[in-house]
Amino acid sequence: DAKTTQPPSMDCAEGRAANLPCNHSTISGNEYVYWYRQIHSQGPQYIIHGLKNNETNEMASLIITEDRKSSTLILPHATLRDTAVYYCIVRAAGSNYQLIWGAGTKLIIKP
Amino acid sequence: ETGVTQSPTHLIKTRGQQVTLRCSSQSGHNTVSWYQQALGQGPQFIFQYYREEENGRGNFPPRFSGLQFPNYSSELNVNALELDDSALYLCASSLRGVKSYEQYFGPGTRLTVT
């Protein structure tokens, strides 16, 4: 599976859009980009995933560049409860569904 | 819909002892994965169980073993505990098939080895 690179930490003001970048320059054609987050003292929570096209759900939007070498997770109106570690994971769809996790980005939402 | 539960929440063991951690899957899920998360790091995949058989394993020694039961609940067993085994152990359930990427995690078991 391709490796991902994320900034170790970011701040965002409450009510503003939080944009979390992820680099995955060695991604291959059959690999998806997944985002999870982990709020302190809880298990990780699935947010969104995508292959080529931009995706949006009730939690966030995922923007994938045309060359697929990077992506951005967007939380449109960040709240204090969005403070968490955000993980970007790249993995091929296949029979083994293990996820390879990096250290993630610690996002702090400030009032 | 019942979420993923894990027991116990906290555990303290001595080096050399054995430990069993338990996980109940989300209702309707047939696959369970176990992860180890050291402080300040992302989770590391230990192994996955599907239909009561191990279906993929990460870089963990054989003293880490598991079971999945017919009701899809699961156990993680660790023998001959070492100090480095101190971590948060996470269990995640999923439904093999179209949405197998969407893993639902429990709150974890915090294991401390002294």
Side-chain angles (χ1 to χ4, degrees):
Chain A
D1 294 323
K3 183 180 175 181
T4 61
T5 303
Q6 298 177 254
S9 65
M10 292 181 64
D11 291 346
C12 179
E14 188 179 19
R16 304 297 294 267
N19 297 278
L20 293 95
C22 179
N23 285 323
H24 31 80
S25 58
T26 60
I27 193 170
S28 58
N30 65 341
E31 289 182 315
Y32 287 73
V33 180
Y34 298 83
W35 283 85
Y36 278 74
R37 73 179 182 184
Q38 187 172 22
I39 296 171
H40 183 61
S41 299
Q42 297 183 22
Q45 175 191 24
Y46 165 81
I47 302 173
I48 199 167
H49 78 288
L51 181 63
K52 293 182 188 178
N53 301 320
N54 299 337
E55 302 287 344
T56 296
N57 63 19
E58 64 280 1
M59 288 183 70
S61 295
L62 174 59
I63 308 298
I64 303 174
T65 58
E66 193 169 340
D67 62 7
R68 303 209 321 122
K69 293 185 177 182
S70 65
S71 60
T72 301
L73 178 75
I74 301 172
L75 308 178
H77 304 287
T79 69
L80 298 179
R81 287 180 294 182
D82 292 321
T83 292
V85 178
Y86 287 76
Y87 296 96
C88 168
I89 302 162
V90 170
R91 191 190 59 78
S95 58
N96 187 346
Y97 297 109
Q98 68 164 294
L99 300 175
I100 310 297
W101 304 66
T105 296
K106 171 69 173 177
L107 175 66
I108 298 173
I109 306 300
K110 298 188 172 182
Chain B
E1 202 174 69
T2 307
V4 178
T5 60
Q6 293 186 243
S7 62
T9 54
H10 295 85
L11 201 53
I12 300 174
K13 288 287 191 177
T14 303
R15 191 170 48 184
Q17 286 187 315
Q18 178 267 342
V19 69
T20 297
L21 311 182
R22 295 178 175 81
C23 170
S24 291
S25 300
Q26 177 151 319
S27 176
H29 284 182
N30 56 15
T31 303
V32 175
S33 303
W34 284 92
Y35 293 83
Q36 180 194 68
Q37 186 174 26
L39 207 58
Q41 298 181 21
Q44 284 198 46
F45 176 74
I46 303 175
F47 44 56
Q48 182 184 85
Y49 277 81
Y50 172 64
R51 289 188 176 177
E52 302 176 50
E53 291 191 0
E54 188 178 292
N55 179 52
R57 187 177 185 97
N59 189 26
F60 281 82
R63 59 188 186 85
F64 285 78
S65 63
L67 284 173
Q68 186 183 31
F69 300 99
N71 66 355
Y72 304 126
S73 65
S74 176
E75 286 183 357
L76 165 66
N77 298 289
V78 187
N79 294 323
L81 283 167
E82 301 176 0
L83 297 179
D84 285 348
D85 296 334
S86 294
L88 180 69
Y89 287 86
L90 294 161
C91 154
S93 74
S94 55
L95 179 61
R96 175 147 299 197
V98 177
K99 297 192 80 177
S100 58
Y101 55 82
E102 193 168 341
Q103 298 191 1
Y104 290 80
F105 284 80
T109 293
R110 173 73 61 187
L111 172 65
T112 302
V113 182
T114 62

